[in-house]
């Protein structure tokens, strides 16, 4: 059975996708929760209108998140850390530290727990550039400065 998804269903399809699913899944899960519509001759116009509305909404969202990405790229965050006599940092700067500082500096940007991409915690002073993942597949480059506390 072919259905058009009117909402995102995790690990199945995104809003606006047309997919073939089993009739039981559609009848017992998708239709009662109003997550999808059956693709029939009667629903073709409705589905085309839904597709246009969804495409317009997605384009607006992407534009909004691209503006957020530009603001993130224009900003930078500085962390002052304690450094020992040998030049070694006490502790590290983690992704959650960066996320909290970013939320503090730019509170209106919707960021999630895994928005900041950091392979391993920062353990040395210096300048770093990190990726920040925003919804709608938008990425931004954030500049981080880790300096010695005086």
């Amino acid at each position: 059975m072919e259905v058009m998804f009117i909402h995102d269903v995790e690990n199945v399809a995104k809003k606006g996708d047309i997919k073939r699913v089993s009739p039981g899944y559609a009848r017992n899960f998708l239709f009662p929760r109003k997550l999808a519509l059956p693709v029939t001759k009667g629903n073709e116009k409705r589905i085309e209108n839904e597709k246009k509305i969804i495409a317009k909404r997605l384009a607006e969202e992407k534009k909004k998140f691209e503006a957020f990405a530009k603001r993130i790229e224009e900003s930078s965050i500085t962390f002052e850390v304690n450094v020992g006599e040998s030049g070694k940092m006490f502790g590290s700067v983690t992704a959650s530290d960066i996320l909290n500082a970013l939320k503090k500096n730019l509170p209106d940007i919707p960021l999630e727990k895994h928005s900041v991409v950091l392979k391993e915690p920062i353990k040395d002073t210096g300048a770093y550039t990190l990726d920040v993942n925003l919804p709608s597949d938008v990425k931004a480059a954030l500049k981080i400065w880790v300096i010695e506390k005086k």
Side-chain angles (χ1 to χ4, degrees):
M1 167 179 254
E2 279 195 341
V3 297
M4 187 193 102
F5 288 85
I6 53 177
H7 292 285
D8 289 349
V9 178
E10 196 170 326
N11 298 326
V12 178
K14 293 195 179 244
K15 193 185 312 183
D17 289 350
I18 294 178
K19 276 190 127 178
R20 184 174 294 279
V21 297
S22 70
Y25 180 61
R27 184 176 51 249
N28 297 321
F29 183 76
L30 297 174
F31 298 156
R33 289 173 175 81
K34 301 199 183 333
L35 298 173
L37 294 172
V39 177
T40 62
K41 296 218 184 259
N43 279 346
E44 283 181 3
K45 270 190 175 177
R46 183 174 177 192
I47 288 172
E48 288 302 317
N49 288 339
E50 286 285 332
K51 274 188 174 181
K52 288 177 186 175
I53 291 169
I54 289 168
K56 184 178 177 183
R57 189 177 313 133
L58 290 175
E60 289 171 358
E61 284 180 8
K62 186 165 184 153
K63 193 174 185 181
K64 178 175 81 171
F65 287 117
E66 286 172 347
F68 287 155
K70 185 176 179 186
R71 286 183 51 207
I72 289 172
E73 289 176 350
E74 290 172 351
S75 67
S76 68
I77 298 175
T78 303
F79 290 96
E80 290 186 9
V81 295
N82 293 323
V83 178
E85 291 181 17
S86 63
K88 206 68 168 134
M89 217 170 101
F90 294 125
S92 63
V93 178
T94 63
S96 63
D97 296 333
I98 296 166
L99 182 65
N100 291 336
L102 195 56
K103 282 183 178 179
K104 189 176 179 183
N105 289 349
L106 303 168
D108 60 328
I109 296 178
L111 296 169
E112 298 172 1
K113 183 178 180 181
H114 299 289
S115 293
V116 176
V117 178
L118 185 63
K119 292 182 179 109
E120 55 188 47
I122 298 171
K123 296 184 178 185
D124 295 315
T125 58
Y128 298 90
T129 303
L130 307 173
D131 287 334
V132 177
N133 294 329
L134 296 169
S136 298
D137 297 329
V138 176
K139 295 182 188 281
L142 174 67
K143 293 174 190 78
I144 303 289
W145 298 89
V146 181
I147 60 173
E148 180 179 348
K149 190 183 282 187
K150 303 253 173 169

